[in-house]
Structure formats: structure tokens, C-alpha cells
Amino acid sequence: MEKNALIAVVLSMVVLLLWSFFGSQSEKPLPQPPAVEQAAEQEAAKPVPTNESVTASTPVEPSVAVPEVVPTTQARTIVVEHPLYRAELTENQAGFLSFRLKKYRETVAKDSPPLELFKAHQPCLVLGLYNNSVPELPRALFTSDRSRIDLTGKSAPEALTFQWTSPQGLRFIKKYTFHPDSYLIDLDVTVSNFGAGVFDDNLELSLIGSPFDHANSSYNEVHMTALIGNSLKTEALKKLEEQDIVAGEIHWAAYVDNYFMTAMVPDQAFTGSVRISPRGDSTVRIDLVNPPANLPKAMETRYGYHLYFGPRQLEVLKSLHLGLERVVDYGFFDIIAKPVLYLLKWFYKGLHNYGLAIILVTVIIKILFWPLTQKSYTSMKAMKDLQPQMTKIREQYKDDKQRINAEMMGLYKTHKVNPLGGCLPMVIQIPVFFALYRILVQSIEMRHAPFMLWVNDLSAPDRLPIGFDLPYVGGLPVLTLLMGLSMFIQQKMTPTPGDPTQAKMMMMLPIVFTFLFINFPSGLVLYWLVNNILSIGQQYLINKKA
């Protein structure tokens, strides 16, 4: 029974590790409603607009009109210098060309440039129309009221306004408002009808580009995520082979990786659809399709949005009160992961080192589970003492497995020994282990967080450069090897099971775990190493007392 339980625990842990490595903790495919599916066949996979309009139209008044500016023949680039980022916008479709985060770097190298949140092959965050009633809009050359904005050292927000008028007499105004203390950007889109007829079409706001080119790690996967009603829908972009559409009450849509996100959030949720379209040039397009405008002559309507281009950080997203914090989800172990993360951050405030914080958290967890582990080790010692009697039972009833099991259970009951007690130290670590794994690979706080010496990124595997590359691993995985050695010492100190097969399996565990951990985040290896060292100390005290 003890052997079977041990095998079950080890296999379960391996399966969970592989699931965490290759799987997504909360990925749900984007459903395509029947109505949309039918429209896809008829309209080249376009979403079905609703008949419900959430934008109010008002008469066009000179007082609200933006002063006319002389259009340019060539698109200008407008730079926005912000304490948190540097953005470049273009008059071509009034979209973004670049967005670099000043507090984050592309790599851990000291000379690494600020992180580019998206690399657009064409302007990003552009306007479109569902029925293409203004065919010139995708190539529109807007005019800007400013050539540069600098928010450094300022406390008040500043606005950047673009406008363009179509040959049909429709004027489109995009007004960006940048806040000096926030990643949040407000976007107001105003459509004014100066033409002869009624404007009846669905406005689309589109994110276009190759999101998160830095997300090249096997741990870091880019998703398209949308909050539809009260349900979070997620699609891995690398698995997206054809257009996907989801309809319902749209709260927001975004590109999300483990550490950053770019999101479009309507002022108020509306009944519409989100369309995700892969492109042949490795870019992906997300369209927010609004309800129909139905705008008569001499009337205008406004669409309000919030844009968030920044870190996927729980406190920052919560402070926006837009529901974006829903993307910070550690899956099945969320209930453990978030308290552990708060504890790590609390220690970090005093230590300024997340590696030391992980060590302290490991010590606290070990103290909390000390009585339980103590009982487990005592049970293992008792099992070892019973080995002669267990061997005698196996020899006496070697042809009757049912009788062997019955006699064994009687022996355990008489001596008050739990045959599963030896597996307890490993079992109680599993939830904390996976919670910490999620924190290390999905929390922006851990990205590029240094520990000491060669360990300069706790979210990446540890590698000590040795002048040449080793096969498969590159540098020398020192922490992982130390972890395997500590696990071997721990096994040698643990009471040896009487079953030779089980004993061999236990001695194989350090080798298995060393290979399993070799590409895991160094912070996770550090946790397991420290836990092993503490377990060795505890086992030494138990053996000394015995």
C-alpha cells in the first residue's frame, strides 16, 4: 500500500508539473455563436452587429467642433514623453507606432533598451467600419493639433487630437488624453455627419500588431483575452489558425502575456462582438465592433474608451476599477498563490531582494508544517521498525495477497502506524510548490528579479556561464544540481523502506527531480533547495533523538 501511494504521489506531481509547463491555467476557447457562425459563411467571417445602439447622437454645434487645421501631405510622427513610457503616434490613421515602457527592459542586460510593448508593422489602434461605408478610412491621413507632448514633471493630463473628414462628409475625431501618473490613456472618438444622407454603420476600434515580441520563453505565452458578460474568454494566439468571433456584453478585450497587457476598454459595456484575426505576416488583429450608429445629417455621436498599455500587476489593475484585474489568475492554486505573493512583496519592502524573500517564506511554511512533518518522519521510523514483521507476513502468506493485506492492516492498527505517513512531506508541499511556480512565471514582480551572484532573474532557469555551452542546458545549472544533491542527502537520512523496489525508487527521486527542475525558474529551485536543507536539519534532530 505504501509503495502504491508513493508511486501515485510521484506520478501526480510529474503530471501536474507537465500540465503547468505545457498548459494554460485558465484558457477557454472563444465560443462562436450560431448566428455569428452563419454570418461568417455569408460575410467572410464578420461578426453580426446587434440592433441595439448604446451611443447617443447630438446635433453638431460650432462650439464643439475642433478647429480646422491644414492637412499635411505626409504623415507626421508625434512623440509622447511620459514618466512611465515613450509613445510614438502617427497621423496615418491616428494610431500608435511604438510604445516603450521605461521601467522595464527587454532583457536583464544592463544596456538593454526599454521594453517595446508591441512592434507594429502598421499603425496600431485604428478605426474601421463594419460595412466599409467609408472605404477611404483604412488609409486616412489624419491631422494632429500637436507635434509633441512632454508630461515629465507635470501633474495635469494633456490631450492629443487627430481629425479627418471623408469625401462623404463624415468627420472622425480621435482625442487621446494622457495622464502623467498612470498607464491609462483615455480615447474619445467623435463621428460627425456633415453629409447628405444617414450614416448607418458599426464603428470598430482595432489593435493591430505583433504583440509582445519579447515573449519568446516557453513559459510565456501570449493570449487574446476578453471579458464577455461575467465570463473571461481566452485564446492562445499561437493556436489561432483562423478568425475567431465572440458576441455578447463586451467589457474589454486585450492582448495578455505573463507580465504585460494591452487592453481596449469601452466607457460602458455594450452589446456587440470581438473579432480576432490572424494574419500571414505574423500579426494579429483584435476588433471591438460597436452597435450601429444610425446617425442622421448634422448630428454627431461619441464613443468613449480607456486604453491600458502596461504591466499585468494586480494592484495597478485593481486601482483602475475597470475589471482588468481579472487577468491576474493563478488557476487552481490562486487561493494559495495570492497570499504567498502578498507575503513575498511584504518581505521585499524590507529586504529589497525577492530571493531572500523566497527563503523567508520557505522558512515560515516549514515552521507551519513542522508538527505535521514531524509526525510523518516518526511514522516512517515506526514503519522501518515493523519491517521484520512485515517481511515475515509476506513470506508466510506469499501465495495469498488478500491475507497479506489483511495481516498488514492489522499490524498497522496494532502499532498505530499510518502506512501513508511517509508520503506526507511531499504531499503537503505540492500546493505551495505549484502556487509559487505560478507566481514566478506569471507575476511581473518576479520578472528580471535578481538574487545574487549569477542568479539575475528568478523567473528564468539559473545558468552559470562557464565559457562554453553545455548540451541542452547551455550554462551550468548550479542551483538545480545543489537541489538534487540536497534531495539525495535527505533520502539517505530518511528511514529506508523494507521493500527493495520502493527503496530503489526513493533513491531515484533526486535524479528524476534534478532533470525535472533543470529548466524551471531559479526562484522555484531556490524554494525547493531551502526546503530540503530545512528538512535535512529536521531529520537530523529526529534521528538524534531516536
Side-chain angles (χ1 to χ4, degrees):
M1 178 181 293
E2 185 180 1
K3 180 175 70 176
N4 293 337
L6 177 64
I7 294 173
V9 169
V10 174
L11 290 178
S12 298
M13 193 164 186
V14 171
V15 169
L16 283 170
L17 288 170
L18 294 175
W19 170 76
S20 293
F21 184 81
F22 293 107
S24 174
Q25 78 278 15
S26 60
E27 184 174 326
K28 299 176 183 178
L30 291 170
Q32 186 159 326
V36 177
E37 196 172 307
Q38 183 179 3
E41 298 175 359
Q42 299 174 354
E43 298 288 341
K46 282 191 173 183
V48 175
T50 67
N51 293 323
E52 178 183 348
S53 178
V54 294
T55 55
S57 58
T58 57
V60 177
E61 299 178 6
S63 61
V64 299
V66 174
E68 294 292 337
V69 294
V70 179
T72 59
T73 56
Q74 186 175 359
R76 295 181 298 170
T77 298
I78 295 90
V79 175
V80 178
E81 285 290 351
H82 190 281
L84 300 174
Y85 56 82
R86 184 183 191 273
E88 293 182 7
L89 296 92
T90 174
E91 289 181 319
N92 181 14
Q93 302 179 71
F96 285 86
L97 290 176
S98 173
F99 202 95
R100 289 190 176 273
L101 302 180
K102 294 183 177 181
K103 290 190 174 183
Y104 302 94
R105 301 285 171 177
E106 294 280 355
T107 67
V108 294
K110 292 182 179 180
D111 58 348
S112 176
L115 185 137
E116 178 66 80
L117 202 54
F118 53 77
K119 293 182 175 70
H121 301 290
Q122 57 183 302
C124 178
L125 208 77
V126 299
L127 299 179
L129 295 171
Y130 169 72
N131 290 315
N132 198 27
S133 58
V134 182
E136 299 85 0
L137 183 58
R139 300 179 300 277
L141 183 62
F142 283 70
T143 51
S144 164
D145 66 341
R146 304 179 69 171
S147 59
R148 180 180 176 85
I149 291 179
D150 192 345
L151 288 162
T152 307
K154 297 182 180 179
S155 58
E158 294 196 21
L160 174 64
T161 302
F162 297 88
Q163 69 165 306
W164 174 78
T165 302
S166 74
Q168 298 87 352
L170 289 167
R171 186 177 65 186
F172 295 83
I173 298 174
K174 293 176 72 175
K175 179 183 177 183
Y176 295 96
T177 302
F178 302 92
H179 302 272
D181 58 347
S182 174
Y183 290 102
L184 199 67
I185 302 169
D186 297 328
L187 171 61
D188 290 316
V189 178
T190 303
V191 182
S192 305
N193 187 1
F194 294 99
V198 175
F199 170 68
D200 188 8
D201 209 334
N202 304 71
L203 186 76
E204 299 177 347
L205 183 65
S206 305
L207 272 173
I208 307 174
S210 301
F212 311 128
D213 283 359
H214 60 279
N216 55 6
S217 166
S218 54
Y219 298 103
N220 199 358
E221 191 173 55
V222 182
H223 293 78
M224 179 273 156
T225 303
L227 184 59
I228 312 296
N230 194 38
S231 180
L232 200 64
K233 308 297 182 183
T234 300
E235 180 83 14
L237 293 187
K238 71 177 183 181
K239 299 178 182 178
L240 189 66
E241 297 179 353
E242 57 184 20
Q243 191 176 86
D244 238 329
I245 303 166
V246 59
E249 186 182 48
I250 311 300
H251 291 269
W252 52 261
Y255 291 121
V256 179
D257 79 342
N258 286 9
Y259 305 114
F260 302 97
M261 70 182 299
T262 61
M264 304 179 291
V265 187
D267 264 352
Q268 294 186 357
F270 62 83
T271 303
S273 56
V274 177
R275 181 176 59 219
I276 313 101
S277 308
R279 299 190 166 199
D281 56 355
S282 76
T283 63
V284 180
R285 176 174 181 144
I286 300 179
D287 302 311
L288 277 184
V289 185
N290 289 269
N294 194 16
L295 190 65
K297 179 182 178 180
M299 301 289 285
E300 68 179 20
T301 188
R302 174 191 169 275
Y303 303 81
Y305 303 92
H306 302 290
L307 311 173
Y308 180 82
F309 299 160
R312 184 184 171 208
Q313 191 169 6
L314 185 60
E315 292 81 0
V316 173
L317 297 176
K318 270 187 174 181
S319 67
L320 303 177
H321 305 291
L322 298 173
L324 293 174
E325 67 274 8
R326 291 279 299 272
V327 301
V328 184
D329 181 12
Y330 298 107
F332 185 76
F333 300 98
D334 191 78
I335 193 172
I336 300 174
K338 285 181 178 175
V340 171
L341 177 60
Y342 283 127
L343 189 58
L344 285 171
K345 292 169 71 173
W346 187 76
F347 282 133
Y348 179 79
K349 288 180 181 179
L351 299 170
H352 304 290
N353 187 306
Y354 273 111
L356 297 178
I358 289 173
I359 292 174
L360 278 182
V361 168
T362 308
V363 171
I364 290 174
I365 292 171
K366 190 66 178 178
I367 292 173
L368 291 175
F369 288 119
W370 187 280
L372 201 58
T373 312
Q374 189 90 356
K375 187 175 181 180
S376 171
Y377 287 151
T378 304
S379 178
M380 293 169 66
K381 182 67 171 59
M383 285 291 294
K384 182 181 180 181
D385 294 339
L386 291 178
Q387 288 303 327
Q389 299 180 55
M390 295 166 66
T391 302
K392 185 177 180 180
I393 291 173
R394 291 192 187 99
E395 292 175 353
Q396 185 175 356
Y397 306 104
K398 57 183 178 181
D399 296 326
D400 190 348
K401 290 185 177 181
Q402 290 186 353
R403 183 65 183 273
I404 290 176
N405 289 335
E407 292 291 333
M408 289 288 191
M409 291 303 296
L411 187 66
Y412 298 149
K413 187 175 181 181
T414 301
H415 293 271
K416 298 180 180 180
V417 174
N418 181 3
L420 304 181
C423 303
L424 196 58
M426 185 176 293
V427 172
I428 61 178
Q429 291 182 58
I430 290 177
V432 178
F433 173 87
F434 282 100
L436 190 59
Y437 171 83
R438 289 296 183 191
I439 290 171
L440 287 164
V441 299
Q442 293 181 12
S443 297
I444 185 68
E445 293 86 355
M446 300 299 157
R447 182 183 183 268
H448 294 175
F451 176 38
M452 61 177 58
L453 301 177
W454 71 94
V455 184
N456 54 12
D457 186 358
L458 288 168
S459 68
D462 83 284
R463 295 291 187 268
L464 176 64
I466 55 175
F468 59 92
D469 287 344
L470 296 172
Y472 179 66
V473 293
L476 192 64
V478 179
L479 274 184
T480 311
L481 294 176
L482 290 175
M483 184 276 298
L485 177 61
S486 67
M487 199 170 183
F488 175 78
I489 295 172
Q490 185 183 359
Q491 292 296 341
K492 292 292 287 185
M493 294 178 66
T494 303
T496 307
D499 187 341
T501 304
Q502 185 179 346
K504 290 179 181 178
M505 182 181 297
M506 294 296 290
M507 293 310 298
M508 284 293 293
L509 280 181
I511 300 175
V512 172
F513 272 68
T514 299
F515 278 99
L516 202 60
F517 276 55
I518 206 162
N519 281 321
F520 275 16
S522 54
L524 194 66
V525 180
L526 178 63
Y527 161 76
W528 201 266
L529 170 62
V530 174
N531 185 78
N532 285 348
I533 293 173
L534 295 175
S535 297
I536 289 170
Q538 186 177 15
Q539 186 66 55
Y540 173 78
L541 294 176
I542 292 173
N543 292 348
K544 187 177 181 181
K545 184 178 179 180

